[in-house]
Amino acid sequence: MKKLLLVFFILAAFCAGWYGALTYTKRFLTGENTEILQDPATLRETYAQQAAAGDAAAAYKLGEMYLSTQGGEADAQSAVSYFRLAAGKGYLPAQKELARFYQEGLAGLRPSQESSLFWCMHAALQGDADCQNQIKEAFAKNTQLYDAVLAAFTASLQARIGNGAAALELGRLYEEGFLSPDLEEASHWYSVAAEQKIPQGQARLGLLYAEGKGVAKDEEKARALLAPAAEAGDPQAQLYWGKQAYTQSEQDGGPDYTEAFKWFANAAAQGNVEAQYLTGVMYIQGQGTDKSVKKALQFFSRAAEAGYADAQYVVGQSYYKGLGIRQNMSEARKWLGKAAQNGNQAAQERLQQLPQP
């Protein structure tokens, strides 16, 4: 009997040691108790739920899974999205990975020194020595690039603690492509600014909703954002409402030229070149205002000077035909040439018809 008990205790001790070793191994390899035994597809779902709840480490691990076929199809775009989610929450490995991806053009990303340095700055702030050295090298090689990225990095830090103006700037940097074009990220930061009733944030987010860029297209949300922005004086929002009034369908009562002219003129007064051109169009046709070729040419000229191709073509045509202005072939050639260089096909054709100087 004593021998049987001894054997039992030996087996129990062996089993306990084996189980403990297995548990330790699982924790060592994964940092979790059971992940190594989970089905990869189930693990993806688990990580997705945890990431949605704000777990940065889970978002990073999910991004890694999307880089491979572990648990499902590989999807580089989703991988990058989850790395960004984790990096934005301050997860150092994700920040370093994004810096490397942008540096080398991995996971379908366009190589971008700006974006690579941007994420390296985030990692360096947490004490990463490699990124700290890279920042020193970047400063030594190109101070102009360094300063621009530093400004973006500063806006990022401020935006993440709720600064609406910084969020607006960060959204612009993403929309215009300084930090690699990313309309989804731009829409996120514009929403932060819009929630604080910043007109430019409302306008930019509203336009993204109107066009379905970075967000699902939603005209109702677009209008709800663009209406207060226009009333607050944002020229892009005013241009939007001017176009809505100008192109209003017959079912909705037809074009409202008075309303369109009001919004175009307001936006034009603030320097919006497209609005300046459209105000000129309405003056020359007498839509929503008294017809005036003189005033029309004033607005066309402003837009042309600012580089708006259609306005440059109209100014060139006016000089060519002597419409509202003294005929001048030299000026006609100058403005039609500018319009042609900016892609205006009609200007390219008209240039061929001009007499040689």
Side-chain angles (χ1 to χ4, degrees):
M1 187 68 175
K2 289 182 179 179
K3 288 183 178 179
L4 288 175
L5 286 173
L6 180 60
V7 170
F8 175 80
F9 283 122
I10 291 173
L11 288 173
F14 174 80
C15 290
W18 172 81
Y19 181 80
L22 177 60
T23 302
Y24 176 81
T25 300
K26 287 184 288 185
R27 289 176 176 172
F28 177 79
L29 291 176
T30 66
E32 303 288 341
N33 286 339
T34 58
E35 288 179 359
I36 198 169
L37 298 181
Q38 285 190 35
D39 171 67
T42 303
L43 193 56
R44 270 199 190 194
E45 294 179 7
T46 300
Y47 282 152
Q49 293 171 0
Q50 293 172 344
D55 189 325
Y60 175 71
K61 291 176 182 177
L62 185 57
E64 287 187 313
M65 293 189 79
Y66 270 114
L67 285 178
S68 69
T69 56
Q70 186 183 4
E73 295 182 0
D75 185 342
Q77 186 174 355
S78 292
V80 171
S81 293
Y82 280 109
F83 283 148
R84 283 191 183 129
L85 178 61
K89 292 182 177 295
Y91 196 65
L92 178 61
Q95 294 170 343
K96 291 191 66 176
E97 200 74 324
L98 282 177
R100 183 173 70 90
F101 281 10
Y102 278 114
Q103 181 66 35
E104 301 176 21
L106 303 176
L109 294 174
R110 176 179 61 84
S112 169
Q113 285 183 298
E114 294 84 356
S115 293
S116 179
L117 187 58
F118 175 78
W119 286 112
C120 226
M121 284 183 175
H122 282 81
L125 186 64
Q126 298 196 62
D128 185 81
D130 289 338
C131 277
Q132 288 173 346
N133 288 330
Q134 289 182 44
I135 291 170
K136 291 178 183 177
E137 292 175 5
F139 178 77
K141 289 180 180 178
N142 190 335
T143 55
Q144 186 174 1
L145 173 66
Y146 172 87
D147 289 342
V149 176
L150 180 61
F153 170 68
T154 302
S156 174
L157 295 180
Q158 293 176 340
R160 293 178 198 283
I161 59 174
N163 185 306
L168 175 65
E169 175 62 11
L170 191 57
R172 184 188 68 80
L173 292 172
Y174 275 114
E175 183 179 12
E176 296 179 1
F178 178 79
L179 291 174
S180 192
D182 189 334
L183 291 177
E184 186 175 335
E185 193 73 7
S187 67
H188 167 72
W189 293 113
Y190 286 153
S191 69
V192 174
E195 286 171 1
Q196 297 183 31
K197 310 300 183 186
I198 297 176
Q200 287 179 301
Q202 294 172 320
R204 282 165 172 75
L205 183 60
L207 290 172
L208 291 181
Y209 272 116
E211 298 171 11
K213 295 180 177 179
V215 291
K217 188 172 182 177
D218 190 323
E219 283 290 342
E220 187 175 342
K221 286 184 179 179
R223 289 169 178 266
L225 287 160
L226 288 161
E231 292 293 346
D234 183 85
Q236 286 188 310
Q238 292 172 339
L239 176 64
Y240 169 86
W241 285 114
K243 288 180 177 180
Q244 292 295 303
Y246 194 87
T247 60
Q248 190 167 267
S249 67
E250 294 298 331
Q251 184 178 353
D252 294 325
D256 186 339
Y257 293 132
T258 301
E259 188 75 0
F261 180 80
K262 178 189 78 172
W263 289 120
F264 287 151
N266 284 338
Q270 296 185 72
N272 185 289
V273 292
E274 186 177 1
Q276 289 171 343
Y277 169 75
L278 291 171
T279 302
V281 169
M282 297 196 79
Y283 265 122
I284 208 163
Q285 297 185 81
Q287 296 173 322
T289 186
D290 293 335
K291 185 174 182 178
S292 173
V293 174
K294 180 179 180 180
K295 289 182 178 179
L297 283 174
Q298 290 175 348
F299 280 97
F300 287 141
S301 295
R302 291 180 201 168
E305 290 287 354
Y308 196 74
D310 289 350
Q312 291 171 333
Y313 170 70
V314 172
V315 172
Q317 279 281 78
S318 298
Y319 276 115
Y320 172 67
K321 294 183 177 181
L323 299 175
I325 198 169
R326 180 176 296 180
Q327 190 177 48
N328 187 318
M329 288 298 119
S330 176
E331 285 295 306
R333 190 174 294 104
K334 167 188 165 182
W335 287 109
L336 290 171
K338 288 179 181 290
Q341 288 176 356
N342 287 324
N344 188 290
Q345 184 63 40
Q348 295 173 3
E349 295 172 359
R350 176 62 74 191
L351 275 174
Q352 298 175 359
Q353 300 169 6
L354 290 182
Q356 294 299 315

